[in-house]
Every structure is written in C-alpha cells, then in structure tokens.
Amino acid sequence: MGTGTSKDADGVAHDESDDRDGSLDQAGGQLYVSLKMENYKLNGKIIPHVYGSVPLVGSWDPCKALSMERESASMWELSFVVPPNHETLDFKFLLKPKYGSAPCVIEEGAHRVLSRGALQGESRLAVFRNGEETLEHKIFIKADQVSPFDLAASWRAYQENLRPSTVRGIPDVSINSAPIAGAENGSSASLELDLEHYLVPAPSTSANSGMVYAANNAENPRFTITDAAWYNSYSFKDASISSDRPPTYKGIEVVIPDPSKAYPGTGMVDSKSVGTFSPLQRQDSHRGLFVDRGVGSPRLPKSPSSSTFTFDLKHEAATKNLMPAAAGAVAAAAVADQMLGPKEDKHLAIVLVGLPARGKTFTAAKLTRYLRWLGHNTKHFNVGKYRRIKHGTIQNADFFRGDNPEGVEARNEVAALAMEDMIAWMQEGGQVGIFDATNSTRERRNMLMKMAEGNCKIIFLETLCNDKRIIERNIRLKIQQSPDYSEQPDFEAGYEDFKSRLDNYEKVYEPVEEGSYIKMIDMVSGNGGQIQVNNISGYLPGRIVFFLVNMHLTPRPILLTRHGESRYNVRSRIGGDSLLSDTGEIYSKKLSNFVEKRLKSEKAASIWTSTLQRTILTAGPIVGFPKIQWRALDEINSGVCDGMTYEEIKRNMPEEYESRKKDKLRYRYPRGESYLDVIQRLEPVIIELERQRAPVVVISHQAVLRALYAYFADRPLKEIPHIEMPLHTIIEIQMGVTGVQEKRYKLMD
C-alpha cells in the first residue's frame, strides 16, 4: 500500500507515482503524508514548523504554525492524514525559537504545493536566511495510502491504551479474605461435579517424566557389540592398549590411564587439570587460566596488531554449534567466557559423586532439564545404563564389592565408555555433560580427570544425605523402578540385595577433596542442609550452584493457566492490556471454585499473576490465598505490532510476518521481544517455583506459559513457540521425588 519515493540531485525525496490520480479515488483510502526536514546543524533551541492553507493549517499566520516533532538527532517530522482527492495544500517551512520572542525565519522561495500526495513543481532544499547566515535543510515527503479500517483500528487501540487500568488500585501483593461482591453468577460459574470430571488427556509429549525411571531418559551408549568385546580385552591395570582394536574410537584417542600409576605417590592427578593452582602458578599464569568457564561461542583470539577480535576460521566448522541458543545474560556470559577461558573450558562436565540412593540421578535429570531450557546443549550420561547394556541387569551385590577385581574392572570399563562417549559428543558441539555414577573412589575420579585433560572442565557434584528416612524411601523407590530389579519378583529379596550393595559401596567410599567441586549435604529434604563449593567461578558454574541451592524434593502441585478470554482474544489481536470478555469473567469464577476445591486441604498456597489486568481480573474471585504480581509473567512484548492481528501484520508488515514464520523461537518483534528473551526473564520464576514448598497457581499468558511448561516437560527449545496452550484449561504439574507428572482440567470450551 505504500508508495515509492526517490531523491533528486538536491537530496529532496518526492513521490514518483505518476498514475495515482485514478487509483487513489478507486481505492477509497486515505493518504498518510509525512513531511520530514533534515539538518545536523539544528539544535533543540530552534524548532522547525509548517504553516499554510486549509486543510493543513488554515492560516498563514506564523503564530499558528504547526510544530514538527524530533524523530532523531538530525530529523524532524510532521505527519497527517488527508483524503486522496484533498484540496491542494500550499505550505512553507519556518524556524521558530523554542524560547524567547525572537522573530521566526521563513524559508526562501515560492510556496510548496502538495496535490494528491505528490509534490508539484521542482523539488528543492529548504533555504533559510537570517542576516548573513544561510541554512539549508533536506526535505523528504512521502505519502502512503491507508484504509479507513486501519485508521479506525489504530485509533481504537490508541483510545484503549489511554483508558485507565481497572486494577491500578490493587497492590502487587494482596489477599481477598472474603468473596468479591457479585462474584457468584449462578450455575454457569459453579463446578457442581467432582474435579475428575473435567480431566482431559494430556498430550503425548506431556511432562509425565515421573512415569519413567530417570536413568532410562539418559543418553544411549554409542558402543557396539564389537566395542564391548574390545573393552573386555583391555586391562585397567595395564597401560597398553590391546592390539585387537585400533587406537581411535569415534575420532578420539582411547587412552584410559591407570590412576594409581599416573602420579606415583600422590594418588592424585596434576592439579592443573582440574583448575587448581599454587600461589606461584596464580602469579605467573594468564588470568584466564584459573577462571572456570561455562560454554558458548568459539574463543575470539585478540590480534596483536589490532584491538578487534577475530575468529580462527579453521575451527569455525567444529565450533559453530557451541553458542547456546539463548539471549541476554546467558549469551553475553558465553561470549565473555570463550574470549577469556582456556580451550578445555569451552566444555563443562558435571561429574556426580555419591552413594546409591542419595538422589544423584534425580539431581542429574533436573540439572540437565534446567540447562537445556536455558539454551545450553546438555546431555545426561548414566553409567548404570551402560553397565546394564554391557553386562545385563541381573548383577547381585557381589558385583559391587570393592575387593572383587573383576567387578571393579567391569565397572571402570563402562565408566570409561560413558566418559569417552561424552567427550566425543562434546567434540561434535556438545556443551555440558552430566556424568551420572557413584564415582565413589579417588581412583575412579582420577581416571576421569585424566581422560578429561584438554577436552573439558570437570566439576564434581557430591550428594551427601544423613537422613535415614529419605534414604529408606529412595531405596524402596529404587527397587520399584530400577531396571536392576525389574526381573526380581520378590520385593524383600531385592531390598536385601540392594542394602548389601550399599554396604559394599560404603566400605570404600572416599569423599571428594580434590579439584573443583560442589557438595550438597542434606539438601534434598528441603529443611535446610548446606552446600559447599571449592574452586568454582564463572557464569555457568555460578548458575548451577544457585539452581542447586533452591532445589528440593518436597511434593507440591503447580497449576498453570492462561487468563480468561479477553476482549483482544475475541478480536484476534495480540498484546495489549484489555479487559476480560463475558466468557473470560465466567472462567475467572470457575477457576476460583476449582482452586478452592483443589487446594482446600493445603495449609498454604499462593497465586501468581502478571501485571496485566486480564490476569489480575482472572485471579480476582479467588479468596484466602495471597496474590503476587510478577512483571516477569507479562505476555511477550510484541513491540510495534502490539494491538494488531496477524492478518494485519501480514498485510502491512509482510517481511516481519515472514521472518516470524521462519523462526518463531528467535524472531524478535520490532521494539519487542523474542521467545528467547522471554525465557531469560523467566529464569527467576523457575528458580522460585523450584524453591517453593507449597502449591502455586500461575495465571499468565500463552507465550509465557509455553516457556514455563517446556521447562517442566523437558521440551526442546525449538518446540516452545508451537506448544498448545488453550484458554480455560488448567495444567497441573506435580513436583516430587518421582519426577514430574501432569494432569489437565478443561473447565470451559
């Protein structure tokens, strides 16, 4: 609908359409005319104005001239709408002082004439003479045809944005102790039936991870039967490699050191490999060497002859996938870490340490899900899964004895296989590997650190639990869920076998005291505990520590729901801050009844909303629970598209429409947000949801709830913009020791 413009030799832009006289009349639209003046010499004390004939100004009196508005440091603009068959507009530009009574300066030359959106006569600069001083300004004139309906929609949106909010008087934290007057609305808003009546099937990709043993969701081993046979021929007591197998595996040199011989007399690997330094080393080494780094883009080596950073092109193909799919702080930290950190710190290995039944796999699964959601390419490698594939599921407690050399060697074999797979994956672009095993001896950990040298940074994550009640519960869950006991019909026999296995591990257990580590001591109960860190720094390790501090196993439901239908929903408009429709008001009352029934046995709960009135009004009828407004829960900012329909965006902004269609995850609305931006601002919400020990009802918006749901359901980032999040439906996420389970209630069609 826009018309083209061109510039002549004087730098004046004018309309280049010669046949618009007939087309505009036939279209029946209006002309949006933009007059712009450019000059870098103008300051804020001199303001350009326009004056002229009807219908533009209606007076040649300079005192009644229309002021132009500053669009940028060097551009001033005045825009208006006229009919396509408007009267001829005669006008001129003038300069008026912002303050004082100094006379204005009128441009030289004849009147400018605008007819049907086109400038008549020769194009020229605006020339102003004030005594001996002469100023020349470039002039730009553009006319676009707009429909009356678009103008009406814009005016309606403008009026709605000016309308005072109906929830302005509600504080950020509030509680209704009694029902709001008029909250009841007859049978249409009541829930007479049991809540189970409103249950609907969850999608096949729902958040029901609690139905699956967590280790089964870990990465599948890459090795084949031939690989397993080769490892059977390898002796961990011999530094040589069997000649039955080539010395490379998946493109990586396979050298599994003998930990006891690697550094004689110390029982430790060189501290340099785990990021610790003596005082002398700290003084002599480059500063970046002792900073634990996260993950991100390739290192940007600084050119000795330039202050700019350049990529090493020969490594570009190998490292192009190292940048996390993230925005904001995560992306900034990743780039900074890669510029300063050593090569191996581009990859991070979180190596679990702990006795069985201490929640290692649960912790590994939650940490994997959190880092993936933040945008880091993360995988969970469970050594028990490797052991079951290579040696079978039926292994009694004797297999795990510390004085059984065959069992020790077999377990080290599968640990080396898993570590090698993780390193191979990292070389293919992986960022964070979670290595899930007991790793209960210093000898095992030394072996892993030796394998990691030059490949990745290791941080040990040790889980310690002294609560016998929690240990007993975990043991019983292990017997019920673990594939190790799937073929054991006698629960008590399995229980006694696992207790014997646990005793074998306890006899040889050595707490972590080497390298970089995080110790979680009695943290899982949610009743205090402590966390210890050693040699931990950098953005990503810091985020991991912060996440672990707030994680616990207390069962509680989290209810996610969109606001009731809004007036913008009815009109298919995005964004805005509109009121609820009549249907939306009914849903708010049904939701209140649902919350009352669902949480009636809970001692405490809270209601979280965004700061937009459609969510606050939806929560209005709920009584008895505190309500908290979060700016972070506001809908995705649609920028200049706020208040438009997608059809209007497609018609008026086709390039933006196509860009969004190609990549909804990364697409950022002009002056607005992308889904990746939304994820970054939702991280504090996720941390607080993990920390909460009581039920939480989150009333928010489609894009925000898609991102929150994706975290609990462990959905890939690329799927987030396409997750179905229907109106008037409640998604109940049950958090607990068995993982995440989901129910859906549809209260209204």
Side-chain angles (χ1 to χ4, degrees):
M1 295 195 308
T3 59
T5 61
S6 62
K7 293 183 181 180
D8 57 19
D10 293 326
V12 178
H14 58 86
D15 195 284
E16 59 185 11
S17 299
D18 296 327
D19 57 350
R20 65 184 307 153
D21 293 354
S23 62
L24 288 177
D25 291 336
Q26 294 174 3
Q30 301 290 302
L31 284 182
Y32 175 88
V33 181
S34 172
L35 307 179
K36 294 187 179 184
M37 176 185 292
E38 180 183 40
N39 192 300
Y40 290 93
K41 295 182 180 180
L42 275 181
N43 55 43
K45 297 179 181 179
I46 303 296
I47 309 297
H49 286 63
V50 178
Y51 76 144
S53 65
V54 176
L56 179 57
V57 180
S59 173
W60 288 100
D61 183 355
C63 295
K64 298 181 179 180
L66 299 178
S67 173
M68 302 182 77
E69 294 185 358
R70 194 165 205 157
E71 185 179 69
S72 65
S74 62
M75 188 71 72
W76 299 77
E77 193 245 6
L78 175 68
S79 57
F80 51 89
V81 176
V82 293
N85 57 347
H86 63 84
E87 298 178 22
T88 299
L89 302 181
D90 291 4
F91 66 95
K92 296 185 79 171
F93 294 96
L94 59 88
L95 301 180
K96 294 177 66 175
K98 187 174 183 180
Y99 306 106
S101 57
C104 59
V105 181
I106 301 173
E107 73 165 312
E108 298 284 326
H111 296 171
R112 298 178 184 270
V113 178
L114 191 73
S115 177
R116 297 181 179 270
L119 190 64
Q120 305 299 310
E122 295 182 358
S123 300
R124 67 181 193 270
L125 298 173
V127 179
F128 300 88
R129 288 189 175 89
N130 186 16
E132 296 181 356
E133 183 181 10
T134 300
L135 296 176
E136 294 183 343
H137 297 256
K138 293 182 179 180
I139 301 299
F140 300 86
I141 299 177
K142 183 179 180 181
D144 288 322
Q145 183 185 354
V146 293
S147 75
F149 301 103
D150 290 339
L151 290 173
S154 298
W155 176 251
R156 182 173 62 245
Y158 173 74
Q159 290 289 86
E160 289 182 351
N161 288 334
L162 286 180
R163 185 179 301 156
S165 171
T166 60
V167 298
R168 182 172 295 278
I170 299 177
D172 289 350
V173 179
S174 62
I175 183 169
N176 297 344
S177 58
I180 298 176
E184 294 302 325
N185 192 22
S187 60
S188 63
S190 63
L191 297 177
E192 302 294 340
L193 302 172
D194 291 337
L195 298 185
E196 299 298 315
H197 173 78
Y198 298 94
L199 275 173
V200 294
S204 58
T205 53
S206 65
N208 287 314
S209 66
M211 311 300 290
V212 181
Y213 185 57
N216 289 346
N217 291 328
E219 185 69 3
N220 288 320
R222 300 187 180 193
F223 67 80
T224 63
I225 300 296
T226 304
D227 296 323
W230 173 81
Y231 274 99
N232 282 332
S233 69
Y234 178 79
S235 172
F236 279 76
K237 299 178 181 180
D238 188 350
S240 64
I241 297 179
S242 169
S243 60
D244 295 336
R245 177 179 168 93
T248 58
Y249 173 69
K250 297 290 183 184
I252 304 176
E253 185 178 2
V254 180
V255 179
I256 305 174
D258 181 351
S260 63
K261 296 181 181 180
Y263 300 95
T266 65
M268 299 277 291
V269 301
D270 180 11
S271 63
K272 192 174 182 180
S273 67
V274 294
T276 60
F277 291 81
S278 67
L280 180 62
Q281 286 174 312
R282 288 184 183 272
Q283 294 173 8
D284 295 341
S285 300
H286 185 274
R287 183 170 61 180
L289 292 178
F290 59 85
V291 179
D292 291 346
R293 295 299 166 190
V295 297
S297 62
R299 254 184 104 183
L300 304 176
K302 193 169 185 179
S303 170
S305 60
S306 172
S307 62
T308 60
F309 290 98
T310 58
F311 284 99
D312 185 352
L313 295 179
K314 66 182 180 180
H315 296 302
E316 184 177 356
T319 58
K320 64 181 180 180
N321 294 323
L322 288 180
M323 188 66 184
V330 171
V335 172
D337 285 356
Q338 291 310 305
M339 287 191 292
L340 297 176
K343 174 185 174 182
E344 60 269 22
D345 286 0
K346 286 191 282 189
H347 308 286
L348 182 62
I350 304 297
V351 176
L352 275 294
V353 178
L355 292 168
R358 262 56 174 185
K360 295 185 303 300
T361 298
F362 173 84
T363 301
K366 292 202 75 166
L367 187 56
T368 300
R369 188 178 70 201
Y370 170 69
L371 294 175
R372 283 175 178 167
W373 183 79
L374 280 182
H376 298 286
N377 188 4
T378 306
K379 283 191 176 182
H380 176 193
F381 294 81
N382 180 270
V383 175
K385 189 172 186 178
Y386 280 68
R387 169 179 53 79
R388 284 185 285 272
I389 291 177
K390 186 174 187 299
H391 298 288
T393 59
I394 303 177
Q395 298 291 340
N396 61 29
D398 289 340
F399 181 80
F400 301 93
R401 281 172 29 214
D403 58 356
N404 177 1
E406 290 79 10
V408 171
E409 183 174 347
R411 285 183 282 126
N412 280 339
E413 287 174 2
V414 291
L417 275 170
M419 187 68 175
E420 188 181 331
D421 276 2
M422 187 172 71
I423 293 172
W425 166 74
M426 287 178 173
Q427 291 193 348
E428 295 166 0
Q431 298 171 9
V432 185
I434 312 294
F435 191 83
D436 179 15
T438 56
N439 301 313
S440 53
T441 65
R442 189 173 291 111
E443 181 181 26
R444 163 74 72 81
R445 298 193 292 270
N446 286 345
M447 180 191 79
L448 298 177
M449 286 192 286
K450 188 63 177 177
M451 294 182 71
E453 283 185 351
N455 294 307
C456 62
K457 168 69 180 177
I458 280 186
I459 295 178
F460 292 113
L461 174 55
E462 185 175 16
T463 59
L464 301 172
C465 180
N466 301 305
D467 189 323
K468 296 186 182 300
R469 179 182 55 84
I470 292 178
I471 295 173
E472 178 68 18
R473 179 192 63 189
N474 290 348
I475 290 175
R476 293 187 173 276
L477 285 173
K478 188 89 170 179
I479 305 305
Q480 294 171 356
Q481 295 185 345
S482 173
D484 285 352
Y485 296 97
S486 60
E487 299 181 21
Q488 172 56 269
D490 188 343
F491 179 87
E492 291 303 322
Y495 177 84
E496 292 302 324
D497 179 81
F498 189 83
K499 291 279 286 185
S500 298
R501 179 195 300 191
L502 185 54
D503 290 339
N504 291 332
Y505 273 107
E506 289 176 340
K507 292 175 183 177
V508 298
Y509 188 80
E510 297 173 293
V512 175
E513 296 176 350
E514 66 273 19
S516 301
Y517 62 77
I518 304 167
K519 286 179 183 276
M520 297 176 63
I521 305 172
D522 293 326
M523 291 288 295
V524 295
S525 65
N527 298 316
Q530 60 179 294
I531 189 164
Q532 299 176 0
V533 298
N534 181 65
N535 195 26
I536 299 295
S537 62
Y539 177 81
L540 187 55
R543 300 313 302 164
I544 290 173
V545 171
F546 187 56
F547 176 76
L548 295 174
V549 166
N550 290 281
M551 190 186 73
H552 59 88
L553 299 178
T554 305
R556 74 279 189 198
I558 296 172
L559 306 178
L560 307 177
T561 183
R562 289 175 66 183
H563 54 80
E565 181 188 64
S566 71
R567 295 181 183 179
Y568 262 29
N569 290 142
V570 174
R571 301 172 185 167
S572 299
R573 298 194 175 277
I574 64 175
D577 191 20
S578 65
L579 298 169
L580 296 178
S581 68
D582 292 342
T583 302
E585 291 179 0
I586 294 174
Y587 176 71
S588 70
K589 299 177 179 71
K590 285 182 175 288
L591 177 63
S592 175
N593 290 333
F594 178 91
V595 170
E596 180 184 359
K597 288 187 176 184
R598 175 62 185 85
L599 303 182
K600 63 181 178 181
S601 61
E602 300 289 346
K603 296 180 180 179
S606 57
I607 315 299
W608 296 0
T609 72
S610 72
T611 63
L612 300 176
Q613 58 182 340
R614 55 189 181 273
T615 65
I616 299 172
L617 293 173
T618 301
I622 301 175
V623 299
F625 299 111
K627 301 169 189 174
I628 304 162
Q629 299 176 26
W630 284 66
R631 181 66 181 269
L633 291 174
D634 284 4
E635 179 60 299
I636 186 171
N637 184 351
S638 50
V640 300
C641 299
D642 191 76
M644 299 175 68
T645 68
Y646 288 117
E647 284 300 319
E648 290 171 348
I649 297 173
K650 183 177 182 180
R651 183 171 66 250
N652 299 319
M653 308 171 69
E655 292 183 358
E656 294 297 330
Y657 183 86
E658 290 301 321
S659 295
R660 178 180 177 273
K661 186 177 179 180
K662 289 177 182 176
D663 189 353
K664 289 181 67 176
L665 177 67
R666 292 171 178 81
Y667 171 77
R668 180 178 287 119
Y669 287 99
R671 303 180 191 174
E673 288 182 305
S674 68
Y675 270 92
L676 291 181
D677 294 328
V678 171
I679 290 171
Q680 290 306 302
R681 66 169 156 96
L682 283 177
E683 187 190 10
V685 178
I686 289 295
I687 294 295
E688 187 58 25
L689 286 173
E690 287 286 356
R691 195 187 69 83
Q692 289 281 321
R693 290 168 175 79
V696 178
V697 180
V698 181
I699 304 174
S700 189
H701 309 267
Q702 181 168 249
V704 170
L705 292 177
R706 281 170 169 168
L708 291 178
Y709 177 80
Y711 169 77
F712 294 111
D714 197 15
R715 297 280 288 274
L717 289 181
K718 64 181 180 181
E719 294 182 8
I720 290 179
H722 309 286
I723 293 175
E724 183 181 359
M725 197 59 57
L727 284 169
H728 306 154
T729 301
I730 299 166
I731 301 176
E732 178 178 327
I733 304 293
Q734 186 69 40
M735 304 273 286
V737 65
T738 59
V740 177
Q741 298 184 30
E742 172 188 343
K743 288 183 179 180
R744 293 200 177 203
Y745 302 88
K746 190 169 184 63
L747 303 189
M748 295 173 59
D749 292 329

